[in-house]
Amino acid sequence: MEGALIARDRVGVQDFVLLDSHTSETAFLNNLRKRYQENLIYTYIGTLLVSVNPYKELDIYTVTQMQLYRGVNFFELPPHLYAIADNAYRVMCSEYNNHFILISGESGAGKTEASKKILQYYAVTCPTTEQLQIVRDRLLLSNPVLEAFGNAKTLRNDNSSRFGKYMDIQFDFKGAPVGGHILSYLIEKSRVVHQNHGERNFHIFYQLLEGGDKDLLCWLGLERNPQKYAYLIQGRCAKVFSINDKNDWKIVRKAFSIIDFTEKDIEHLFGIVASVLHLGNIQFEEDSNGHAIIRDGTQIKWISKLLGVHLSILQESLTHRKIEARSEEVLSPLNVDLAFYARDAVAKAIYGRTFTWLVNKINGSLANKVGFLSSDSTRKTVIGLLDIYGFEVLDTNSFEQFCINYCNEKLQQLLIEMTLKAEQEEYELEGIEWEPIPYFNNKIICDLVEQKHKGIISILDEECLRPGEATDLSFLEKLEEKVGDHAHFVTRKLADQKTRKSIDWVDFRLLHYAGEVTYCAVGSFSLPPFQVLCNSKNGIIRECFLLSELDNRRRPETVATQFKNSLMSLIEILMSKEPSYVRCIKPNENKEPGKFDDYLIRHQVKYLGLMEHLRVRRAGFAYRRKYELFLQRYKSLCPATWPHWHGPAAEGVERLIKHIGYKPEEYKLGRTKIFIRFPKTLFATEDAFEFRKHLLGMVPVPFIFSRLQAKYKGCLGKREYQKKREAGRSSGTEDSLLQAVLSSRSCCFGRFLWLASVLAWPAGTGKGSEPCAWHCRAPWQGETLIPPRCFQYVTPVIKYDRNGFKPRDRLLVLTQSSAYVVEMAKIKQKIDYATLKGNGGAGGLPFLPETLGDAILQCEHVFETVTKLCMLANKQSLVKVVQGSLQFRIGSGKEGTMVFTVGQEPQVFKAKNGQLTVDYRLDSV
Ligand SMILES: Nc1ncnc2c1ncn2[C@@H]1O[C@H](COP(=O)(O)OP(=O)(O)OP(=O)(O)O)[C@@H](O)[C@H]1O
């Protein structure tokens, strides 16, 4: 991570803890925006990853990238999902403990994509055997099935998950994935019967109609045209350009066979899907007594056939309600409105429970069969992926939003508690005094919702289960009576005059940690299950509707309590594991790449609790590193530690920071780590390190160290820094210019120096155009020229593209901000044409005009590239660092000068006097 600090002015900091004003939302947003504009969608807050949906394909999810992150220290590479996934995996393997990765954010923010990418990462990078391939395939293929039944097109997202998902991936002692388990939360059943304009029902309905073969549709009594089904057309967008239902149907069908579904299962499953469509087409009319009767018997016959239930009982249960009178049960006829309500309730119940059945069925197929596959079935660890809906505020917020927001409230509590705990533990472990951190504890809101007897859910339960008719208004009255004086609860009756206007009579408002939300109490009650379904011949329905539920002596659990209990056990599951967090942010409402909507994002930063998390994470120290790592990086800043320090790393670090002048209040030394309190201290150290890299090889060593101390101190004072910049601009002398650039946190200039060094290669007085005085140092490895880890996976490929590249004798290296593939290079015949594969495909390789005669190599990692090229050429001593200008001589013996100047735009050109000039922009560095 430190390696990227030099570019922080342009691309922001990779970790929000390094923001100077860490409590400022504006500074937070600025950093996020800067990075997003550079396609850097990931940023850390400590070990939490913030991800902004790019809404376009980025070249950062290739197998090469996966290999790059595999086994690499968390902070060595730019922030990435793979770093989070790899870190959890490596700690799991070395410490044999369980982990979870919590991915949250609002609809369309990229949660599901993130969890799929993590799953793919494990599928590609974890060890496996032929036998285990099947587990891997099942893990991957469970996704399209769950998405078909649990996802839908909404206004915010064409493939929106309408349920919460927690998936455990189980690993054996060798770190191979051997099984999985899924828990689902709160599928949005209301969508089955109603969709808003521009939205669809669950994908599976459209897939079946579009992709199912003729015989199947005929057997189900369905027509291919979705317009024929009332439940599919309310949103008026049955066909969507971005969704290929036919293709998705094929994937789902194939997935069924891989995840062990029998033909009978599939038959029953689609019998249910079709029944829901038939249910939606049932119409009621009034008989002469004002009671509901079914208008046309066609659909009900299909349902009776497909669900294997008795026709007349089914009819009766849609048009009548059972009432207990004394010890007898009597049937009371429903009016038309209530009959429609009952019809929709059946459709929702059938679909919702079938979804739960589906998840259980998938779990059966993912069940860890490691006993068969491996000799050691005892040691298993898991990584859980939690892809859960973020905080939701809609125009009308119903019971579903209430559950979702309660869930977020709980998870926020967990996040803060676990972060605080982790911080506290680390301080304790390191022997550093703990300083209490003030933060907002949202327990008070969780209690308001979940407390036994006193909380909102208990009150709802009581209302549902008490004798007599419960209504939305009676529920509201009970709430006012029991929690009316709670500071985070308001109704219209309780509100002051100003607030009253914005709350309806059937509403209640909660003041959540993330803001206030008004909920509509209408529809908080659900109907008891239908007896007719308990006797179904359809195996799935029979499993889903148990006769035992009808037992009046048992108090059935309400939906709210079920949700609360499942949430409690989820929290328990999570508490027993090591956490990692991914917070996804949606950058705009239009799914548009590159658009950063400040207002929208500011809201999400708040809802996701990011500022609170940053405050907790930064309250003590902004930065911490193991002594060994810190010393390895910065040892060149102190004569006592450079080039080698032979004592304990902790002592080396102590010498080093004393030498460069850390003040006591800036740091603490723990047992194994150094803790740095302020980002500016780290930045100054990093800048001094940059400076040092360039000075090496051109200034006598004692002089370097005194310059470095000055440099470190200089970087600490912003004024001084400004002064240096100004001095560089006005004086124009090469030396002061160089000073100014180096002091201005230069990244570009550093790269130009390297550029110069490569250019200078053919110059000199040696034989032909052999180099004469080459100094070589790889800054990251002391004096040996070893490529950094990220290059270990780079395989040089001998390749020559005749159309795109002319062989040349010399190579000019230019840089751009984007990560480019390093194209080709021919250096003095020593290297053949080498294609160094970076992280993308070829292309976009601009050339200087022919007259300049140099091929341009564009890449992100200039140092690494040059090093690699030198190694390939077996010329480890090719690198020379020069100041301001350099002389060179080309093959024909012609001499030239190359000059570095400040310009409006970064460019390389031949000046009128024939001099090759490199312009760089001072304010861009
Ligand atoms: N890393 C990414 N790279 C490219 N596109 C992405 C990425 N993440 C998300 N997207 C785009 O954004 C869309 C929405 O993402 P996703 O379905 O993951 O959102 P979500 O947060 O899971 O939403 P919901 O809560 O509605 O399910 C994707 O279909 C994809 O087009």
Side-chain angles (χ1 to χ4, degrees):
M1 183 185 79
E2 292 85 345
L5 285 180
I6 46 166
R8 65 188 175 268
D9 289 343
R10 183 170 52 84
V11 301
V13 288
Q14 293 189 357
D15 191 334
F16 285 108
V17 296
L18 296 178
L19 277 182
D20 273 334
S21 34
H22 70 280
T23 52
S24 153
E25 225 171 65
T26 305
F28 190 101
L29 245 71
N30 287 344
N31 194 56
L32 207 59
R33 190 187 314 99
K34 258 187 206 172
R35 296 181 62 73
Y36 188 66
Q37 280 157 1
E38 296 284 336
N39 283 332
L40 302 169
I41 62 167
Y42 297 125
T43 312
Y44 292 131
I45 305 178
T47 50
L48 176 150
L49 183 75
V50 180
S51 158
V52 187
N53 188 343
Y55 280 121
K56 64 179 171 189
E57 291 309 318
L58 296 179
D59 203 11
I60 54 172
Y61 305 111
T62 56
V63 172
T64 316
Q65 281 282 306
M66 292 183 189
Q67 302 293 11
L68 199 63
Y69 278 86
R70 189 173 163 191
V72 173
N73 191 310
F74 194 75
F75 294 107
E76 267 179 40
L77 290 169
H80 201 298
L81 266 177
Y82 295 159
I84 297 279
D86 189 76
N87 191 52
Y89 178 76
R90 275 192 308 124
V91 177
M92 178 194 75
C93 289
S94 60
E95 295 177 12
Y96 302 112
N97 54 7
N98 298 318
H99 290 250
F100 72 86
I101 302 175
L102 193 162
I103 307 166
S104 64
E106 74 171 56
S107 179
K111 301 181 293 294
T112 310
E113 288 298 318
S115 70
K116 284 196 258 185
K117 285 181 163 79
I118 292 175
L119 204 58
Q120 277 157 3
Y121 179 78
Y122 291 138
V124 170
T125 58
C126 292
T128 188
T129 62
E130 220 170 275
Q131 277 174 307
L132 286 173
Q133 290 285 358
I134 184 94
V135 178
R136 206 189 68 168
D137 291 347
R138 284 178 181 175
L139 279 169
L140 292 174
L141 282 171
S142 61
N143 255 332
V145 174
L146 282 177
E147 286 193 6
F149 283 83
N151 287 27
K153 183 214 178 295
T154 66
L155 285 174
R156 296 146 146 226
N157 183 358
D158 289 355
N159 183 31
S160 179
S161 313
R162 308 314 298 158
F163 66 105
K165 183 172 135 193
Y166 175 78
M167 180 186 212
D168 259 343
I169 311 163
Q170 297 159 348
F171 296 86
D172 71 1
F173 70 105
K174 289 185 202 141
V178 291
H181 189 84
I182 295 166
L183 295 172
S184 69
Y185 297 94
L186 205 74
I187 175 98
E188 187 193 33
K189 286 181 291 192
S190 57
R191 181 165 297 275
V192 176
V193 300
H194 175 76
Q195 307 95 44
N196 291 326
H197 196 233
E199 302 201 345
R200 296 208 311 179
N201 210 321
F202 292 98
H203 295 323
I204 191 64
F205 294 109
Y206 307 90
Q207 290 175 4
L208 170 64
L209 297 186
E210 185 82 19
D213 63 40
K214 239 171 144 185
D215 292 346
L216 177 63
L217 294 191
C218 183
W219 182 78
L220 297 169
L222 295 177
E223 292 182 49
R224 199 170 289 286
N225 183 0
Q227 302 300 333
K228 299 275 180 190
Y229 297 97
Y231 280 166
L232 301 188
I233 54 171
Q234 292 162 35
R236 304 213 177 94
C237 60
K239 285 247 190 298
V240 183
F241 170 70
S242 62
I243 302 175
N244 187 339
D245 290 312
K246 202 169 184 170
N247 215 32
D248 292 345
W249 167 260
K250 284 188 198 145
I251 296 170
V252 170
R253 282 295 287 149
K254 185 173 164 232
F256 275 137
S257 57
I258 305 254
I259 52 180
D260 258 2
F261 278 58
T262 63
E263 278 309 307
K264 204 80 207 146
D265 290 331
I266 294 170
E267 191 182 289
H268 285 163
L269 189 58
F270 288 110
I272 295 169
V273 173
S275 296
V276 170
L277 292 180
H278 290 304
L279 262 172
N281 281 2
I282 289 180
Q283 294 296 316
F284 300 95
E285 57 190 17
E286 261 181 12
D287 67 6
S288 53
N289 298 318
H291 300 149
I293 50 167
I294 293 171
R295 189 183 288 165
D296 168 4
T298 319
Q299 287 90 12
I300 195 100
K301 279 187 199 139
W302 276 109
I303 300 168
S304 152
K305 177 201 144 185
L306 294 169
L307 296 188
V309 293
H310 208 281
L311 179 62
S312 59
I313 303 180
L314 182 63
Q315 254 165 346
E316 198 180 81
S317 49
L318 288 176
T319 51
H320 291 75
R321 181 165 49 159
K322 252 185 207 154
I323 299 179
E324 274 181 55
R326 296 197 190 99
S327 58
E328 272 177 62
E329 277 186 347
V330 283
L331 280 178
S332 157
L334 299 175
N335 64 25
V336 168
D337 284 349
L338 283 175
F340 275 115
Y341 186 75
R343 176 199 72 172
D344 289 350
V346 176
K348 287 191 282 185
I350 289 182
Y351 195 85
R353 292 189 186 202
T354 302
F355 186 75
T356 310
W357 174 89
L358 191 77
V359 172
N360 290 338
K361 181 79 192 164
I362 291 174
N363 281 337
S365 115
L366 294 180
N368 170 22
K369 303 188 174 91
V370 75
F372 301 113
L373 305 171
S374 145
S375 53
D376 182 355
S377 60
T378 51
R379 256 206 337 233
K380 278 173 295 243
T381 45
V382 304
I383 295 179
L385 296 180
L386 180 61
D387 166 2
I388 202 111
Y389 15 60
F391 201 79
E392 219 166 69
V393 191
L394 308 179
D395 291 341
T396 308
N397 300 291
S398 64
F399 177 71
E400 263 151 8
Q401 276 70 47
F402 171 77
C403 290
I404 288 173
N405 293 342
Y406 162 49
C407 171
N408 274 272
E409 203 73 68
K410 289 294 286 179
L411 292 173
Q412 171 68 9
Q413 193 182 26
L414 180 87
L415 170 79
I416 294 286
E417 270 178 14
M418 287 187 111
T419 311
L420 274 172
K421 194 168 137 250
E423 286 283 289
Q424 210 160 356
E425 274 172 7
E426 174 152 44
Y427 283 28
E428 230 166 73
L429 219 65
E430 290 290 331
I432 289 181
E433 204 183 320
W434 171 251
E435 300 157 19
I437 299 171
Y439 71 101
F440 172 64
N441 189 342
N442 65 338
K443 183 173 182 298
I444 183 169
I445 308 167
C446 295
D447 286 348
L448 168 64
V449 177
E450 70 191 12
Q451 232 178 8
K452 265 195 185 150
H453 310 301
K454 289 191 243 160
I456 294 174
I457 292 180
S458 285
I459 299 167
L460 182 62
D461 283 358
E462 271 174 40
E463 275 302 284
C464 286
L465 302 174
R466 76 175 163 77
E469 192 142 339
T471 64
D472 304 317
L473 282 178
S474 70
F475 167 53
L476 214 57
E477 270 170 24
K478 267 276 152 48
L479 284 180
E480 281 166 345
E481 188 190 311
K482 296 218 166 163
V483 292
D485 57 352
H486 196 286
H488 291 256
F489 177 88
V490 195
T491 61
R492 187 177 172 117
K493 191 170 141 195
L494 301 170
D496 59 36
Q497 205 145 19
K498 203 170 132 218
T499 320
R500 194 166 295 163
K501 287 184 204 139
S502 59
I503 308 179
D504 208 331
W505 285 113
V506 286
D507 291 346
F508 64 94
R509 180 174 290 173
L510 294 189
L511 309 181
H512 286 282
Y513 81 89
E516 47 183 52
V517 187
T518 307
Y519 299 98
C520 176
V522 175
S524 302
F525 301 96
S526 57
L527 290 179
F530 292 82
Q531 189 167 358
V532 61
L533 298 173
C534 303
N535 298 316
S536 164
K537 290 205 177 69
N538 180 308
I540 300 175
I541 293 291
R542 218 180 30 251
E543 265 185 56
C544 291
F545 294 87
L546 301 175
L547 271 169
S548 56
E549 279 184 71
L550 299 169
D551 184 352
N552 281 338
R553 283 162 303 176
R554 283 183 56 214
R555 275 165 65 100
E557 265 185 354
T558 60
V559 182
T561 298
Q562 276 172 14
F563 183 70
K564 182 180 109 179
N565 291 343
S566 60
L567 197 53
M568 295 290 190
S569 37
L570 173 68
I571 297 289
E572 230 168 80
I573 294 173
L574 300 181
M575 293 282 278
S576 66
K577 298 182 164 74
E578 295 297 315
S580 307
Y581 305 95
V582 179
R583 298 295 218 213
C584 300
I585 288 180
K586 182 160 76 169
N588 60 72
E589 293 285 10
N590 317 327
K591 305 164 194 162
E592 212 177 288
K595 188 172 168 202
F596 191 93
D597 181 335
D598 273 40
Y599 181 77
L600 188 76
I601 294 171
R602 195 179 279 270
H603 262 267
Q604 292 171 73
V605 167
K606 195 173 168 202
Y607 287 169
L608 291 168
L610 296 182
M611 296 309 295
E612 196 65 18
H613 183 77
L614 177 57
R615 242 156 55 80
V616 170
R617 195 65 174 69
R618 248 303 290 275
F621 298 88
Y623 172 94
R624 61 206 70 179
R625 274 295 176 280
K626 289 252 182 232
Y627 288 126
E628 290 76 10
L629 294 176
F630 190 82
L631 191 61
Q632 174 63 25
R633 183 163 184 86
Y634 298 117
K635 64 181 178 180
S636 59
L637 300 182
C638 167
T641 52
W642 175 257
H644 301 294
W645 171 257
H646 295 290
E651 282 171 26
V653 169
E654 215 171 337
R655 285 286 287 275
L656 165 65
I657 58 175
K658 276 222 172 85
H659 177 77
I660 56 175
Y662 276 23
K663 295 199 184 90
E665 66 273 18
E666 286 181 302
Y667 71 95
K668 280 247 160 70
L669 297 176
R671 288 201 179 96
T672 67
K673 290 179 187 172
I674 175 171
F675 289 70
I676 296 180
R677 201 178 287 280
F678 313 111
K680 63 179 183 191
T681 311
L682 176 69
F683 294 157
T685 313
E686 186 59 31
D687 289 346
F689 173 60
E690 270 302 300
F691 186 43
R692 150 79 169 154
K693 282 197 301 201
H694 302 306
L695 283 179
L696 272 174
M698 67 182 192
V699 193
V701 167
F703 179 54
I704 290 177
F705 288 116
S706 61
R707 294 268 292 273
L708 282 171
Q709 275 176 328
K711 167 75 187 146
Y712 168 76
K713 282 167 190 155
C715 291
L716 273 177
K718 211 172 177 180
R719 273 195 175 166
E720 229 171 308
Y721 151 79
Q722 291 288 2
K723 250 194 271 166
K724 282 187 179 177
R725 269 173 75 128
E726 289 311 318
R729 280 207 181 98
S730 53
S731 88
T733 67
E734 281 165 8
D735 191 47
S736 63
L737 177 68
L738 177 65
Q739 269 299 94
V741 174
L742 289 173
S743 308
S744 64
R745 305 167 173 183
S746 156
C747 63
C748 292
F749 196 75
R751 292 175 176 180
F752 280 123
L753 287 173
W754 281 77
L755 171 155
S757 65
V758 179
L759 260 183
W761 175 27
T765 53
K767 204 170 86 202
S769 56
E770 283 294 301
C772 58
W774 300 108
H775 305 274
C776 164
R777 283 212 171 80
W780 51 86
Q781 288 285 354
E783 302 209 306
T784 38
L785 207 55
I786 299 168
R789 280 191 89 126
C790 62
F791 257 65
Q792 281 179 0
Y793 301 104
V794 174
T795 328
V797 181
I798 305 300
K799 190 178 159 198
Y800 175 47
D801 178 356
R802 287 179 192 284
N803 301 325
F805 188 79
K806 284 187 186 166
R808 292 158 201 270
D809 282 350
R810 291 186 294 135
L811 174 72
L812 179 63
V813 180
L814 268 189
T815 65
Q816 279 204 341
S817 56
S818 55
Y820 253 90
V821 174
V822 178
E823 277 290 323
M824 300 174 190
K826 183 191 176 197
I827 301 183
K828 300 295 287 175
Q829 314 296 338
K830 299 282 182 194
I831 317 171
D832 282 308
Y833 305 98
T835 300
L836 302 180
K837 279 223 176 256
N839 49 4
L845 185 76
F847 290 94
L848 280 180
E850 190 66 22
T851 46
L852 293 182
D854 293 301
I856 300 176
L857 188 67
Q858 262 192 323
C859 64
E860 179 82 349
H861 306 287
V862 178
F863 297 121
E864 293 86 342
T865 309
V866 172
T867 307
K868 188 79 181 178
L869 289 171
C870 293
M871 288 178 71
L872 283 168
N874 200 18
K875 284 196 168 286
Q876 270 83 337
S877 57
L878 278 183
V879 181
K880 181 186 180 186
V881 179
V882 294
Q883 290 188 63
S885 70
L886 82 120
Q887 306 291 318
F888 63 88
R889 199 171 64 203
I890 48 178
S892 59
K894 217 168 127 191
E895 287 194 3
T897 309
M898 186 170 182
V899 180
F900 303 107
T901 63
V902 183
Q904 289 298 312
E905 293 297 329
Q907 56 178 327
V908 181
F909 62 96
K910 212 172 186 178
K912 279 188 186 137
N913 59 3
Q915 203 167 264
L916 189 61
T917 304
V918 176
D919 265 359
Y920 56 92
R921 256 176 55 194
L922 206 52
D923 58 354
S924 70
V925 296

